[in-house]
Each structure stands twice: as structure tokens, then as C-alpha cells.
Amino acid sequence: MAKRKREVTEAKIERFIKEGRGQGTGKDYLPWLKIQDVPSEGRATRGVGWTTGRRHELMSDIERDYCYLLDYSDNVTDIREQFPLLPLEETLMIAEKLGIKHPADPKTGVPVVMTTDFLVTYKDKEYARTVKPFSETEDDRTIEKFEIERVYWETRNIDWGIITYQDLPEPLIRNIEWVHKEYHNEDVPELGHFAVQNLQRILATRLYDGEKISTACLACDEQLGLEIGTSLAMFRHFIARKIWSVDMNERIIPSLAAKDFTVNETVVSLAKGG
């Protein structure tokens, strides 16, 4: 297999612009950079977002974790990752005014299009966020690039800030990660409304009684004649959809009871889709 060329050239920048990268909103947004375009820092992820309904191009573990947090918020209506600071001439001018060397490709010397990790729409207002491990925020060259970013967004009256691991609530994020893929649960349309409603009633009763999550789910599978693991997947689905609630700020451990378990809605809300 031929190795993908990652060098930045003027022709490549023009091609990205023509492809519509960095344009659109919601499901139609196309990130400026895709995972295959750059070496990733950690485990790159292409998770399907709850908010946007598209696959996100996440270049590092911290980007993935921050995206989980954004996805879980009811007030976030759009998430645009790898957002380009265009036109390129503007960041070049900002860098010149600040007396900072503009980022360029080390092989071609062509100035690169800078990106902000996330442009988030929260309560109908846009926020630009750069997401980096704290150690990177102490590097002099990184700080210079941050300053270019800051000025770029300041001219647009958009709040810009830096997110580090210290800002991320680890238990909440790990819980979101655990339920995330079950948001779109294939068992919902397959089982049908009546069966899902019955499962919800039986499982909720056991959880309210303080049974361990894994024990209650196994018993529910056996009572309803379901494949083992179905009820646990549905438990995660109900939590992801916020049909059920538990204390998300403490790690959900299936071998323990569900803390602060509450039924928020009946299963009729699943009519909007599994």
C-alpha cells in the first residue's frame, strides 16, 4: 500500500478548500483535517456523534474525551472539530504583527492552515476551544501558536480558551464512553416497542429494588428469553438517551447497584429512533 503524502503544498490547500473542508454545519460539516491527513497523538477516533450524527475526526485521546463531554450536554447543538483558521492570509498577517513565525510544513516550507480543535455551538453562541495536555501548554512555541489563535478568534468576538485534562471530569467522561455506542441500539427496532417497554418495566423494578446492575440485567434476559447481554446493552441505551438517570459523576460499575437510579421517561420516547 502506498504511503499517504502528508506534506502541505499550496495545491493541497486549494484542493481542501474546493472539497468544502471546514465548511458546513451539523451533519454536513467537513473537518479541515481527517485522521489520515496527520500523524495522530494517541488513539485517533472516528466516533459517530450524538449531537451531529456524523463521524468525528478526533486526533488524540483528550480530543475524544472532550467530544464525549460535548455530546452529553443538552445545550450543545453543534460540534465542529479541526476547524480551519481561514483565510490563510489572515493568520499570516496576525503572526507578522505579533512578530511570531507562522507554522509551516517542515519539508515544503509552505505555510499551513492553522486549526482550532473545536468550534462549539452552545446555547446558540459559538465558542472556540483548543484541547491539549497541560504539558504542551508550557512549550514556548506552542504558546506562540496559541496567541495567533487567540487573536484570530478575538477579531470575530468569539470566546476562545484552552482545555486540559485538569478541566475534564474523568468519572463522567468514562461513563459517557461506556454508554456512548449504545445511543443507537440495534435491538430497539428489532425487539419492537412492546418488548422494549416490557424490558424497561422489569429491569427498572429490579434496579429500584437495589439489585446489582449485572444481576438485574441477567435476570431480565432470562425472564424475557433474550440473548445474554441484551438487557445490559439496553440499560446503557436508556442512560445514553437520558430515559433513565444514574449518578454520572461516579463510575458506573455493573457489579454494583445503580446509584441514584431514576426513570425519567417512558419508553414511548424511543419512537424518535433507536
Side-chain angles (χ1 to χ4, degrees):
M1 183 180 292
K3 188 175 181 180
R4 181 178 294 271
K5 292 183 178 180
R6 295 195 173 106
E7 291 85 359
V8 175
T9 62
E10 292 179 0
K12 189 173 186 178
I13 292 172
E14 286 300 316
R15 176 166 59 84
F16 278 14
I17 292 172
K18 287 180 180 179
E19 286 176 2
R21 298 209 190 188
Q23 300 175 42
T25 58
K27 196 169 186 177
D28 297 324
Y29 172 71
L30 191 62
W32 180 259
L33 296 174
K34 297 183 180 182
I35 287 172
Q36 64 266 27
D37 295 325
V38 295
S40 64
E41 300 170 2
R43 292 179 294 277
T45 309
R46 284 193 183 95
V48 177
W50 299 350
T51 306
T52 63
R54 64 175 177 80
R55 292 190 178 276
H56 288 281
E57 302 285 333
L58 307 169
M59 306 297 178
S60 64
D61 291 349
I62 190 170
E63 286 187 18
R64 175 205 62 204
D65 287 353
Y66 184 60
C67 196
Y68 280 143
L69 205 60
L70 296 175
D71 240 358
Y72 192 69
S73 172
D74 293 329
N75 294 314
V76 172
T77 56
D78 199 6
I79 303 168
R80 285 172 280 177
E81 74 279 13
Q82 321 308 335
F83 192 87
L85 309 189
L86 289 171
L88 176 57
E89 291 74 21
E90 185 172 345
T91 55
L92 285 167
M93 183 177 65
I94 292 171
E96 185 177 358
K97 284 185 176 180
L98 293 173
I100 295 172
K101 183 180 178 183
H102 192 283
D105 186 280
K107 291 186 178 180
T108 64
V110 173
V112 303
V113 173
M114 297 180 65
T115 58
T116 290
D117 296 324
F118 291 94
L119 182 60
V120 181
T121 305
Y122 179 87
K123 292 184 177 180
D124 298 322
K125 188 176 179 181
E126 291 183 335
Y127 295 83
R129 290 293 181 265
T130 290
V131 185
K132 293 288 184 289
F134 183 77
S135 58
E136 292 188 24
T137 66
E138 296 181 311
D139 177 74
D140 289 343
R141 177 57 180 154
T142 301
I143 292 171
E144 287 183 343
K145 289 187 282 188
F146 285 166
E147 186 62 10
I148 298 173
E149 252 185 287
R150 185 192 66 77
V151 173
Y152 177 90
W153 290 114
E154 186 179 66
T155 61
R156 286 160 173 74
N157 295 314
I158 291 177
D159 184 275
W160 173 84
I162 301 171
I163 301 292
T164 69
Y165 273 121
Q166 283 80 353
D167 301 308
L168 302 180
E170 178 73 10
L172 174 58
I173 289 169
R174 296 285 73 82
N175 285 336
I176 298 169
E177 181 179 40
W178 188 63
V179 303
H180 198 273
K181 74 172 185 177
E182 295 298 343
Y183 186 89
H184 299 287
N185 184 294
E186 295 179 359
D187 290 331
V188 173
E190 195 171 305
L191 289 171
H193 176 78
F194 178 77
V196 173
Q197 191 175 47
N198 201 27
L199 182 152
Q200 184 191 35
R201 177 182 57 80
I202 294 169
L203 187 54
T205 299
R206 288 181 171 275
L207 294 172
Y208 268 129
D209 287 342
E211 258 190 69
K212 296 175 182 177
I213 297 169
S214 56
T215 303
C217 288
L218 180 59
C220 191
D221 286 339
E222 291 175 347
Q223 184 175 340
L224 296 176
L226 300 172
E227 183 180 346
I228 300 301
T230 301
S231 294
L232 183 59
M234 289 301 298
F235 171 81
R236 293 159 69 182
H237 176 71
F238 294 147
I239 298 299
R241 291 277 180 167
K242 299 183 181 177
I243 293 167
W244 287 356
S245 290
V246 296
D247 185 352
M248 290 292 281
N249 293 309
E250 286 195 24
R251 286 295 299 271
I252 301 170
I253 302 174
S255 60
L256 300 178
K259 187 174 181 181
D260 297 337
F261 174 75
T262 307
V263 173
N264 300 322
E265 305 175 34
T266 61
V267 80
V268 71
S269 64
L270 292 177
K272 67 183 178 181

